[in-house]
């Protein structure tokens, strides 16, 4: 082989090796309590089968990850992509969420599971969470 061809092949082989080596670490990333969930925030009203209307704040994850712990309600082949943020009567959280609608937000999920009932809207529900504070510069 000539020098330039050999050099080009070496560079391509190195790039391929780096890509393949990096892939398993991404595939092995899982979501566990204390991790950040980020994505676009939306709000909508959803009607429960019993007729009750539910106000839903939901994040569509930028980087879906499987849960670290098995959850019988999760599809083992598909990580949850939509996360229903439970707000209940926390007016401060609601006010802050309302200001962030349509934007990318980050929350720290402390207690979550895959959706189990008609009260859970989306792939997963986050019962206990707080806003992830931006990194200090």
């Amino acid at each position: 082989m000539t020098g330039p061809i050999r050099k080009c092949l070496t560079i391509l082989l190195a790039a391929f090796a780096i890509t393949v080596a990096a892939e398993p670490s991404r595939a092995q990333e899982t979501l566990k309590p204390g991790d950040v969930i980020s994505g676009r925030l939306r709000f909508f009203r959803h009607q429960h089968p019993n007729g009750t209307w539910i106000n839903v704040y939901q994040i569509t994850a930028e980087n879906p990850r499987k849960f670290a712990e098995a959850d019988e309600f999760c599809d083992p082949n598909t990580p949850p992509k939509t996360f229903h943020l439970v707000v209940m009567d926390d007016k401060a959280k609601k006010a802050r969420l309302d200001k962030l609608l349509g934007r990318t937000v980050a929350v720290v999920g402390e207690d979550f599971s895959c959706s189990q009932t008609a009260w859970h809207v989306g792939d997963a529900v986050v019962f206990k969470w707080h806003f992830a504070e931006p990194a200090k510069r």
Side-chain angles (χ1 to χ4, degrees):
M1 268 189 226
T2 63
I5 294 174
R6 180 177 292 199
K7 186 175 184 179
C8 183
L9 286 175
T10 302
I11 291 170
L12 287 173
L13 184 60
F16 177 75
I18 290 169
T19 302
V20 170
E23 204 59 38
S25 64
R26 266 190 264 147
Q28 292 176 0
E29 279 186 32
T30 57
L31 186 61
K32 58 191 177 311
D35 283 351
V36 173
I37 301 166
S38 64
R40 189 174 187 90
L41 177 67
R42 65 187 192 140
F43 172 84
F44 58 95
R45 291 181 46 87
H46 176 78
Q47 190 170 23
H48 185 278
N50 74 5
T52 304
W53 285 94
I54 307 166
N55 292 331
V56 179
Y57 290 93
Q58 189 179 73
I59 292 178
T60 302
E62 295 172 336
N63 181 22
R65 298 175 284 169
K66 292 183 180 181
F67 289 163
E69 292 187 27
D71 184 319
E72 65 183 293
F73 295 98
C74 292
D75 177 347
N77 301 316
T78 308
K81 184 171 173 99
T82 56
F83 292 84
H84 177 177
L85 300 177
V86 175
V87 180
M88 302 305 284
D89 295 326
D90 189 329
K91 291 180 182 182
K93 274 187 179 177
K94 283 182 184 181
R96 188 163 174 194
L97 287 170
D98 286 339
K99 290 179 183 177
L100 296 170
L101 289 175
R103 296 184 183 164
T104 297
V105 299
V107 300
V108 176
E110 297 170 19
D111 181 23
F112 48 81
S113 67
C114 282
S115 295
Q116 305 171 27
T117 74
W119 294 103
H120 305 155
V121 183
D123 302 327
V125 59
V126 186
F127 300 101
K128 189 175 178 186
W129 60 273
H130 62 273
F131 288 99
E133 296 305 322
K136 293 182 180 176
R137 294 179 185 182

